[in-house]
Amino acid sequence: MIIIANWKAYVEDSKKAKALFAESKKLASLSALTIVIAPPAPLLSGLALRNRSRVSFAAQDVSATLGGAQTGEVTAAACAAAGASYAIVGHSERRAAGDSNAVVAEKLVHILAHDLTPILCVGERARDNEGLYLSFVREELTSALAPLSAEDRARVIIAYEPIWAIGKTAEQSIEPHDLVEMTLYIRKVLAELLPGKSSTRVPVLYGGSVEPGNIRELAGSTVDGFLIGHASVDKASFTALVRNIA
Ligand code: PGA
C-alpha cells in the first residue's frame, strides 16, 4: 500500500512540517506501507535533502516549462534537486487553476525526464446516470498517457480523485462499491494503453475525503493506496489513518 500525504497549502511553517515528518518516519518504520509526503515546494528540500528514512517525498506540481526566464516557476529538475522522488500532476486544484489535459501531458513528460515517479490525478466533477463520468476519466487518462512510450506509461501511478469527494468528510466520500467499479474501469483503460500485463503493475490509488473512519473499508476495495489531503496534516488523524490500514 502507498500512502501519499498531500499537504497542499495547509502546512506553512517548518515547525509543523518537521513534526509531521517525524511522525511519518515513526509510522513508516512500524509498518510495511510506503509513505510519501508532498510538502509545499519551499519546505521540500529542508525535509528531503538529508532524509535517510523510509519516507519519500513528492512535489505537489511541476512547471510546464523547462526553466530559464520563468519567474515563479518550479521545474521538475528543481524538485528532483530538492529531494523529491515523486511528483503529483493533474491534481484537480491545479486543473481548476488552468491546467488543461494538454498541460498535464506536458508536465508528465518533464517529470519522467527527471526520473521522478508521476502521480497522475484523474477524476470527474460529478456523477451522472449515463456513464459520462467514465468517459471523462478515460479522456484524462488517454490524453496524458497516449503520447508516452510504453516504457514510460508503465512508470506512472494513477490517483483517482473524484472532485465531488475532495475536501469533505468520510460520510460524503465515495462508496466502496462505486470505487471498485471505477478502479476496474481504470484498469480496463490502462490495459488498452499498456502492452501485455504491464498495466496490472500500475498502482491505482484513491483520494477524496479519506479519513480514519473510512480508510479501512475503502482499502478493502481494489485500490493500491491513498492520496490523502486534510486528514494528513493533523498528527493524530494521520497516525490513526496509518494505524487503521497498517
Ligand atoms: P482531501 O484531499 O483528502 O482533503 O479530500 C485529497 C486530495 O485532494 O488530494
Side-chain angles (χ1 to χ4, degrees), residues 154 187 189-204:
R187 293 229 161 267
V189 176
L190 291 175
E192 293 165 17
L193 287 164
L194 276 89
K197 290 210 178 334
S198 59
S199 72
T200 60
R201 289 189 291 275
V202 172
V204 178

Side-chain angles (χ1 to χ4, degrees), residues 6 8 10 91 93 161 165-167 208-210 227-230:
N6 179 10
K8 305 194 181 191
Y10 290 121
H91 191 281
E93 285 150 19
E161 297 212 303
I166 293 178
S209 298
V210 178
L227 180 46
I228 302 168
H230 65 271

Side-chain angles (χ1 to χ4, degrees), residues 45-141:
S45 66
L47 302 175
L49 280 184
R50 285 178 305 279
N51 174 32
R52 299 277 174 274
S53 74
R54 289 190 52 236
V55 174
S56 305
F57 287 88
Q60 291 184 7
D61 187 30
V62 301
S63 173
T65 75
L66 282 170
Q70 306 285 350
T71 303
E73 295 290 337
V74 180
T75 60
C79 293
S85 37
Y86 298 77
I88 299 172
V89 62
H91 191 281
S92 61
E93 285 150 19
R94 298 317 316 157
R95 292 183 191 263
D99 282 12
S100 62
N101 279 343
V103 169
V104 172
E106 223 169 305
K107 290 183 171 185
L108 196 47
V109 170
H110 298 324
I111 290 167
L112 289 161
H114 290 90
D115 280 331
L116 298 167
T117 299
I119 301 154
L120 170 66
C121 300
V122 297
E124 76 282 1
R125 237 165 260 127
R127 289 273 165 137
D128 60 278
N129 294 326
E130 284 78 50
L132 293 177
Y133 64 97
L134 294 171
S135 16
F136 185 87
V137 169
R138 170 184 285 275
E139 177 57 28
E140 287 188 330
L141 287 168

Side-chain angles (χ1 to χ4, degrees), residues 158-172:
I158 308 297
Y160 168 59
E161 297 212 303
I163 299 170
W164 52 267
I166 293 178
K168 305 270 175 57
T169 62
E171 292 70 39
Q172 295 162 290

